[in-house]
Amino acid sequence: MGRIVTPARFAQAPANHAGFETDSDRERAALWARLRTEAEAVADGDPLLRGFIHIVVLSHDGFASALGGHLARKLGDWYIPAERLADITEQAHAGDPGIVAAAVADLTAIVTRDPAADGLLTPFLYFKGFHALQWHRVAHWLWAQGRRDLAHFLQSRVSEVFAVDIHPAVSIGRGVLIDHGTGVVIGETAVVGDDVSILQGVTLGGTGKEHGDRHPKVRDGVLLAAGAKVLGNIEVGRHAKVGAGSVVLKPVPPGATVAGVPARVVGWLTSGQAPAVEMDMSLPEPEYTI
């Protein structure tokens, strides 16, 4: 077996060359401070978890370090051990600091939207939708660098370990929540915008054997409820909601709520808040005629 990865080598990138902190730097520092505080409380409260919490959080000097090490231990195996995966994650974080900024936004989105998240530590440690998404961000970076075989390897391992299958070519925005994660499938030419919420069993797939641009484009603030299937090169407009178990075969207008098999418009956005943030899975009451 590979050695336990507790890298202090994921050094935090400097704020900028002028020495001034950006908003992203401050947000990350605040999140890291809160995460450490929660970790210290757990370590003090349960001796059985103290070693685990120390390795995953308290031994690190920053969020990127802790995230990279934790992801590596989750995915390491005999073929590529955890310490080598930690090297890959470090390369990705250094090559694109936006990956870490997106992870901060994703973790914040979980705490904001998911009532099961009682703080930052629980989703950071245990939520496999979060872990799968962060590994996808690394795989997507590798894909863009031309290291496509390694990106496919990571996609396969993520699918095996977390039951989330996202092609490494997929572009995914920030502040994305993949809740539970089990059974989520996102095809190669799909696009997912910012502040999107995706529940278990969602598929963003094609309609057959066609090649080229063949997968859905999900715009900002969209809520895709459990088991929703969106198929083909169609757009799900900004702030739309797709009901649980729906099969979407046609474009969804911005602000629309669609449901059914096949899906049809059953309502429209009435609040000023994005459905992905509101996380209201209910649908309008059907109108019955006698």
Side-chain angles (χ1 to χ4, degrees):
M1 294 182 64
R3 59 181 173 82
I4 293 177
V5 181
T6 55
R9 50 203 175 88
F10 290 95
Q12 296 293 307
N16 56 43
H17 295 298
F20 297 106
E21 285 193 342
T22 65
D23 289 343
S24 178
D25 296 324
R26 285 189 287 269
E27 183 181 6
R28 181 172 63 183
L31 180 140
W32 174 240
R34 180 179 168 189
L35 189 65
R36 281 192 62 92
T37 297
E38 293 180 16
E40 289 166 354
V42 171
D44 291 342
D46 195 326
L48 195 61
L49 290 175
R50 190 169 296 148
F52 167 62
I53 295 298
H54 177 78
I55 290 171
V56 177
V57 179
L58 299 179
S59 64
H60 297 272
D61 60 0
F63 177 72
S65 170
L67 177 65
H70 191 41
L71 292 177
R73 286 185 292 272
K74 285 281 185 179
L75 219 61
D77 66 359
W78 289 100
Y79 300 106
I80 302 184
E83 58 264 31
R84 298 296 299 277
L85 290 177
D87 291 337
I88 295 167
T89 307
E90 181 179 14
Q91 292 170 24
H93 289 175
D96 181 5
I99 293 174
V100 177
V104 170
D106 298 337
L107 190 55
T108 302
I110 294 172
V111 176
T112 302
R113 302 175 205 169
D114 188 350
D118 54 1
L120 292 168
L121 186 65
T122 296
F124 180 84
L125 293 177
Y126 307 124
F127 282 19
K128 65 179 186 177
F130 174 73
H131 300 149
L133 178 55
Q134 304 323 309
W135 265 122
H136 168 73
R137 297 193 186 282
V138 174
H140 184 66
W141 179 81
L142 289 168
W143 186 267
Q145 297 297 309
R147 301 173 69 181
R148 297 192 170 185
D149 291 325
L150 182 55
H152 277 306
F153 175 86
L154 292 178
Q155 175 195 3
S156 176
R157 283 293 294 150
V158 168
S159 180
E160 291 170 5
V161 174
F162 302 126
V164 176
D165 193 349
I166 307 174
H167 193 284
V170 174
S171 174
I172 298 181
R174 295 163 44 120
V176 173
L177 165 63
I178 300 181
D179 193 19
H180 298 290
T182 301
V184 168
V185 177
I186 304 179
E188 179 182 9
T189 60
V191 173
V192 177
D194 296 332
D195 302 316
V196 171
S197 291
I198 301 172
L199 276 77
Q200 68 271 18
V202 165
T203 298
L204 303 179
T207 57
K209 292 186 177 181
E210 72 272 23
H211 295 277
D213 195 354
R214 62 196 183 277
H215 296 105
K217 311 299 181 278
V218 178
R219 304 308 181 192
D220 297 352
V222 168
L223 171 61
L224 302 173
K229 315 299 177 187
V230 186
L231 306 177
N233 183 15
I234 59 176
E235 182 170 302
V236 181
R238 184 175 182 270
H239 288 191
K241 180 196 297 189
V242 178
S246 300
V247 178
V248 182
L249 302 174
K250 295 180 180 180
V252 178
T257 295
V258 300
V261 181
R264 62 182 181 86
V265 175
V266 297
W268 296 92
L269 180 68
T270 57
S271 70
Q273 192 171 37
V277 176
E278 198 171 44
M279 293 293 284
D280 180 4
M281 309 294 166
S282 64
L283 298 172
E285 290 293 329
E287 295 182 4
Y288 294 102
T289 57
I290 299 176

